[in-house]
Amino acid sequence: MAELRAIAATPATHPRHALHGPDRAWPETNCYLDLWIGLLSAIGQDPRPVLGAPAALAWEADHFTFVKPCAADLFSLTGAVLHELALFDSTARQVEAQVARGAVPLLEVDAFFLPDTEGAAYRERHTKTTIAILALDAAEQWLDYLHNAGLYRLSGDDFCGVLNLPPHETPLFPYAELVRLPTAPPPDAADAARRVLARLAATRPPENPFHAFAAALPALMARTGGDSQAVHALCFNTARQAGSAAGLLADHLDWLGHDGTPARALADSAKTLQFQIARAARRGRDDPGIGALLGSMAGQWTDTTSEADRAAALRGN
């Protein structure tokens, strides 16, 4: 079968979005939010309408919420239809079938086979992540995929690893979703975004998540034993998740005509926090500066959610 392509964008023609710019505190966020930033920009839509989901950020006992917009919100904000993709036959054949009809498969894969993760996971360690497959050629064994901050191509053995082909078959199917792309953004995206913010405010836990994080952090740091990979995982699931989510929420509030400054300050603080946690955990020493910084971040979160709630209050009926 010849080349199949759901979207015209290629690695050579798809520029990095400004939300992934090097000037940002967090040029990459989490794999799912980054994927939607890339996917929407690839079809000419502004991704900022979908970035209100961090308004419900919470401390989940040992990590911050891995923020993902839900299918209903994606439809109301962008017109895209998101479903789980039921894999039952051959992952490669089913991915081909979706791309051939112009849909985009979102596939949970092993970053061990993703060349864009070189120096972090590629051919070094196994870790799950999600990609969006925009084009592929099964005969030539290559595919174009969105991941993190860009659009990339992989081929050969990496193609087989991502699509569960010999010699990398696994007994379980990966989790997959499919996106039916919109023809145009909805005309009332801003009002829909305010309704989403109102719903998120209703589901937000009453406790300030940064106070809860501060209470849990000493035990989490001790649990790493100073191991570099364990420390990296701790920082990724705490400071990075909170900070990157706050940075995107700042852009969402700016788009709605509200003040993203407190959220942006929180994103910057989280960057500092990540370095402080990493240094203290590796040395096995307490750092009193962490507690002071988390107290400041708790205040920034209060200011951020207050601004998000003000935006929600302006929604239409």
Side-chain angles (χ1 to χ4, degrees):
M1 187 177 290
E3 172 185 322
L4 301 172
R5 186 168 292 280
I7 295 177
T10 69
T13 63
H14 181 66
R16 177 179 288 217
H17 194 276
L19 291 171
H20 290 142
D23 58 321
R24 296 178 63 85
W26 303 94
E28 296 177 1
T29 59
N30 70 47
C31 61
Y32 204 78
L33 286 174
D34 285 338
L35 182 154
W36 277 99
I37 291 169
L39 185 56
L40 291 169
S41 64
I43 62 172
Q45 278 204 33
D46 186 344
R48 290 178 298 172
V50 306
L51 303 181
L57 186 75
W59 177 246
E60 312 286 2
D62 55 9
H63 66 284
F64 277 101
T65 309
F66 188 93
V67 176
K68 298 172 67 171
C70 70
D73 292 347
L74 286 166
F75 178 73
S76 67
L77 295 167
T78 71
V81 176
L82 175 70
H83 291 294
E84 183 169 346
L85 173 56
L87 295 179
F88 64 92
D89 180 16
S90 157
T91 301
R93 277 197 297 269
Q94 290 194 254
V95 165
E96 285 183 77
Q98 296 305 321
V99 175
R101 72 177 186 129
V104 175
L106 310 184
L107 193 65
E108 191 172 86
V109 302
D110 187 349
F112 185 87
F113 298 107
L114 298 182
D116 72 288
T117 67
E118 187 169 10
Y122 183 56
R123 299 291 168 171
E124 293 183 19
R125 63 191 185 96
H126 298 279
T127 180
K128 69 175 183 176
T129 191
T130 302
I131 63 172
I133 299 175
L134 305 190
L136 77 162
D137 188 321
E140 297 295 324
Q141 291 197 327
W142 62 260
L143 63 80
D144 289 348
Y145 67 101
L146 286 165
H147 183 243
N148 288 339
L151 175 56
Y152 309 96
R153 176 167 293 187
L154 59 76
S155 60
D157 190 62
D158 295 331
F159 181 90
C160 296
V162 163
L163 294 182
N164 202 17
L165 292 168
H168 301 295
E169 309 100 314
T170 58
L172 299 177
F173 288 111
Y175 179 71
E177 295 174 307
L178 65 89
V179 180
R180 296 206 305 271
L181 296 167
T183 55
D188 58 347
D191 202 52
R194 293 186 176 96
R195 287 194 293 271
V196 169
L197 285 176
R199 179 181 57 77
L200 294 173
T203 63
R204 188 186 306 135
E207 182 181 18
N208 190 304
F210 292 92
H211 290 320
F213 175 40
L217 182 57
L220 292 172
M221 290 173 62
R223 199 180 301 168
T224 68
D227 176 76
S228 293
Q229 286 197 10
V231 171
H232 171 79
L234 174 62
C235 291
F236 183 94
N237 288 286
T238 57
R240 173 170 168 168
Q241 289 305 309
S244 60
L248 294 181
L249 182 56
D251 293 283
H252 182 70
L253 292 171
D254 289 345
W255 171 75
L256 283 172
H258 285 261
D259 187 7
T261 303
R264 197 164 286 111
L266 179 57
D268 291 338
S269 295
K271 194 75 172 181
T272 301
L273 177 67
Q274 176 175 255
F275 292 124
Q276 289 184 339
I277 291 174
R279 183 174 59 245
R282 290 186 182 119
R283 293 176 177 176
R285 300 176 185 170
D286 292 334
D287 181 348
I290 291 177
L293 181 56
L294 281 170
S296 175
M297 293 171 73
Q300 290 165 344
W301 176 249
T302 297
D303 293 342
T304 295
T305 53
S306 294
E307 190 64 23
D309 293 349
R310 280 191 285 273
L314 294 178
R315 67 190 188 280
N317 296 324

